[in-house]
């Protein structure tokens, strides 16, 4: 109560909003290192007994959980109120757009290249970059030769559609690291990936390849599953979670969806909440959009199963997700690729991860991430203390 009272007084003096007050309270209310040090000194000098020591441990546990939940909720409220940092505006100029496609499976490369050609800006001065990453092991030289042969086949296919491509082969100690390094070298605005395959036990413990790529890069990432020819679609349906309009890459992926709709001469339907609808309409007016656009409202984004009711035959599906820790991220987006693979086995689906601000996320030198199962356990502990859950 003392911490909250101090935050409330600060709010009155500086005329802060309730969200800003709660951020102050959340960041100042937790007790950890200093409290533990003080209580250990008292316990060793027999000033306090074990009951007080145990009570202090519980105090640290409760205050850290409460502070985390309050700060997360208040920070999202500040973004919704429009107080986010205005100094970072993600505008990818048409003539500077650069798309990167990592070569993994030759069967998936042709539809990925066709998709990139359709959504790519025709004014871009840069070719579509295709990179093949080879692991640095005893088979590296042999795998390099195979990779170069596959790249040559891709160049022949691209020349048939008059698509300009740039190819490269690189060696790295693992695939995600090589892809992220290549993306930085060419300053890629968008990375197109094939749909993530089933992971083995080691991937689950260390972190799956697709998740590692997301953690190592800040560019827009699109994971694509293509089962049908693009010409068979009569509509694009985009599922957009709340606060997606506050993500750094919001404008980019919206433009790409509209570009695809324009090339295929089909309409676009956004499934989102009211706030996202309003933000999207404002952006469409700014860019003077000519593609037919519709909106459908959906508010229960903690239950993704409800999105099944919006499915239509012969629709091209886009699901907008978010990297872990970003403003629009929510628990229901965790493991979304695996959920969609079960639901849309024979449909064309693109899973979008918007770009983020550089150096505003996890330490770039932290290669090994916590396994998703451990994150889920920590979330469930937090949910027990969250009334909304």
């Amino acid at each position: 109560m003392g911490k909250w009272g101090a935050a409330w007084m600060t709010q009155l003096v500086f005329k802060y909003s309730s969200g800003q007050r709660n951020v102050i309270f959340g960041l100042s209310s937790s007790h950890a290192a200093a409290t533990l040090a003080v209580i250990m000194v008292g316990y060793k000098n027999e000033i306090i007994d074990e009951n007080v020591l145990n009570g202090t441990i519980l105090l640290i546990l409760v205050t850290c959980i409460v502070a985390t939940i309050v700060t997360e909720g208040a920070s999202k409220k500040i973004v919704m109120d429009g107080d986010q940092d205005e100094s970072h505006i993600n505008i990818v100029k048409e003539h500077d757009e650069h798309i990167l496609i990592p070569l993994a499976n030759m069967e998936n490369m042709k539809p990925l290249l066709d998709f990139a050609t359709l959504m790519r800006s025709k004014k871009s001065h840069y070719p579509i970059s295709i990179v093949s990453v080879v692991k640095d092991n005893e088979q590296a030289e042999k795998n390099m030769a195979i990779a170069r042969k596959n790249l040559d086949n891709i160049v022949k296919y691209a020349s048939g559609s008059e698509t300009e491509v740039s190819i490269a082969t690189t060696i790295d100690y693992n695939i995600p690291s090589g892809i992220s390094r290549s993306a930085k070298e060419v300053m890629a605005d968008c990375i197109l990936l094939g749909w993530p395959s089933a992971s083995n036990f080691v991937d689950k413990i260390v972190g799956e390849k697709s998740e590692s790529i997301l953690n190592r890069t800040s560019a827009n990432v699109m994971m694509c599953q293509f089962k049908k020819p693009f010409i068979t679609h009569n509509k694009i349906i985009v599922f957009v979670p709340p606060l997606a309009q506050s993500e750094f890459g919001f404008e980019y992926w919206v433009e790409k969806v509209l570009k695809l709709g324009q090339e295929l001469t089909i309409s676009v339907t956004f499934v989102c909440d009211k706030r996202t609808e309003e933000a999207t309409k404002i952006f469409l007016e700014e860019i003077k959009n000519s593609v037919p656009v519709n909106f459908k409202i959906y508010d229960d984004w903690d239950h993704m199963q409800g999105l099944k009711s919006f499915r239509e035959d012969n629709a091209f599906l886009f699901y907008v997700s978010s990297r872990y820790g970003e403003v629009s991220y929510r628990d229901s987006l965790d493991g979304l690729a695996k959920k969609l693979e079960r639901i849309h086995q024979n449909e064309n689906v693109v899973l979008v991860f918007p770009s983020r601000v550089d150096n505003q996320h996890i330490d770039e030198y932290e290669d090994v991430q916590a396994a998703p199962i451990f994150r889920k356990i920590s979330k469930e502990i937090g949910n027990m203390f969250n009334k909304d859950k």
Side-chain angles (χ1 to χ4, degrees):
M1 291 299 296
K3 294 286 188 180
W4 192 90
W8 178 70
M9 290 296 295
T10 305
Q11 176 193 8
L12 295 180
V13 173
F14 293 98
K15 298 181 180 179
Y16 287 156
S17 66
S18 60
Q20 292 170 323
R21 177 201 64 208
N22 290 341
V23 167
I24 296 172
F25 167 66
L27 292 177
S28 62
S29 62
S30 61
H31 299 269
T35 303
L36 187 60
V38 170
I39 208 68
M40 286 304 298
V41 171
Y43 180 72
K44 288 182 178 180
N45 289 276
E46 300 181 354
I47 299 173
I48 59 173
D49 59 8
E50 288 187 358
N51 294 325
V52 180
L53 177 62
N54 293 334
T56 304
I57 300 301
L58 290 177
L59 171 70
I60 293 172
L61 172 64
V62 172
T63 56
C64 287
I65 292 176
V66 170
T68 301
I69 295 172
V70 170
T71 304
E72 181 181 10
S75 61
K76 289 188 176 182
K77 186 177 186 301
I78 289 176
V79 174
M80 293 175 67
D81 291 340
D83 293 333
Q84 65 268 30
D85 187 0
E86 302 263 341
S87 61
H88 299 289
I89 302 176
N90 185 24
I91 300 177
V92 178
K93 296 181 180 179
E94 289 185 332
H95 59 274
D96 289 334
E97 183 185 14
H98 205 150
I99 297 176
L100 174 70
I101 307 178
L103 175 61
N105 188 334
M106 280 298 295
E107 295 181 0
N108 296 333
M109 275 304 299
K110 292 182 180 179
L112 277 175
L113 186 59
D114 293 339
F115 177 70
T117 303
L118 286 173
M119 73 168 195
R120 172 175 172 265
S121 171
K122 300 296 187 269
K123 299 179 181 179
S124 176
H125 299 318
Y126 297 102
I128 297 173
S129 296
I130 302 175
V131 61
S132 180
V133 181
V134 176
K135 284 187 177 181
D136 188 6
N137 53 28
E138 62 276 2
Q139 298 291 327
E141 292 185 5
K142 180 180 178 180
N143 292 334
M144 283 282 287
I146 297 174
R148 286 170 180 166
K149 183 178 180 181
N150 291 334
L151 288 173
D152 290 340
N153 292 332
I154 289 297
V155 171
K156 293 178 182 178
Y157 177 79
S159 62
S161 59
E162 297 183 354
T163 301
E164 187 179 0
V165 297
S166 172
I167 60 175
T169 308
T170 183
I171 297 178
D172 211 307
Y173 63 92
N174 64 36
I175 304 299
S177 176
I179 293 174
S180 62
R181 181 167 53 82
S182 299
K184 292 176 182 177
E185 289 175 352
V186 301
M187 293 185 293
D189 301 302
C190 183
I191 303 174
L192 296 184
L193 302 174
W195 204 257
S197 58
S199 57
N200 56 36
F201 178 75
V202 175
D203 287 338
K204 290 181 180 179
I205 296 298
V206 178
E208 298 179 17
K209 292 179 181 178
S210 56
E211 186 176 4
S212 297
I213 294 172
L214 289 172
N215 289 338
R216 294 167 184 266
T217 61
S218 297
N220 297 277
V221 175
M222 297 186 183
M223 298 180 184
C224 309
Q225 172 186 277
F226 297 133
K227 300 291 185 179
K228 299 178 180 179
F230 299 145
I231 197 66
T232 61
H233 297 298
N234 55 22
K235 178 182 290 187
I236 297 175
I237 301 178
V238 189
F239 300 97
V240 191
L243 294 177
Q245 71 275 12
S246 299
E247 295 287 357
F248 190 55
F250 171 73
E251 292 86 357
Y252 180 83
W253 68 257
V254 171
E255 284 188 349
K256 295 300 104 179
V257 170
L258 297 175
K259 176 67 175 176
L260 183 64
Q262 184 180 25
E263 292 292 327
L264 298 178
T265 320
I266 55 180
S267 64
V268 177
T269 298
F270 292 92
V271 179
C272 56
D273 65 3
K274 195 66 179 177
R275 188 185 296 271
T276 304
E277 177 188 0
E278 293 173 358
T280 305
K281 285 182 177 179
I282 293 173
F283 178 65
L284 295 179
E285 292 177 0
E286 291 177 356
I287 62 175
K288 299 179 180 179
N289 170 58
S290 59
V291 178
V293 173
N294 301 304
F295 291 90
K296 293 183 179 180
I297 302 301
Y298 184 73
D299 292 316
D300 195 8
W301 286 92
D302 287 327
H303 299 87
M304 303 291 287
Q305 296 294 329
L307 296 176
K308 290 182 179 180
S309 60
F310 296 97
R311 292 171 59 187
E312 297 184 21
D313 294 335
N314 299 321
F316 200 135
L317 304 177
F318 278 76
Y319 284 83
V320 181
S321 185
S322 177
R323 289 171 167 88
Y324 177 72
E326 298 302 308
V327 67
S328 65
Y329 180 85
R330 54 182 56 226
D331 294 349
S332 57
L333 298 177
D334 194 22
L336 185 57
K338 294 179 181 178
K339 299 174 186 176
L340 296 179
E341 188 176 17
R342 292 192 296 267
I343 299 173
H344 307 293
Q345 296 182 358
N346 300 309
E347 297 176 273
N348 288 355
V349 182
V350 176
L351 181 58
V352 181
F353 293 87
S355 62
R356 59 185 175 185
V357 182
D358 286 329
N359 303 319
Q360 298 293 321
H361 46 88
I362 61 169
D363 186 354
E364 61 180 343
Y365 297 104
E366 188 177 352
D367 292 335
V368 180
Q369 302 302 319
I373 185 64
F374 297 119
R375 290 211 307 265
K376 291 178 181 177
I377 292 174
S378 63
K379 290 174 188 173
E380 290 304 320
I381 294 175
N383 291 342
M384 291 189 296
F385 295 91
N386 191 336
K387 294 181 180 179
D388 295 336
K389 296 291 183 180

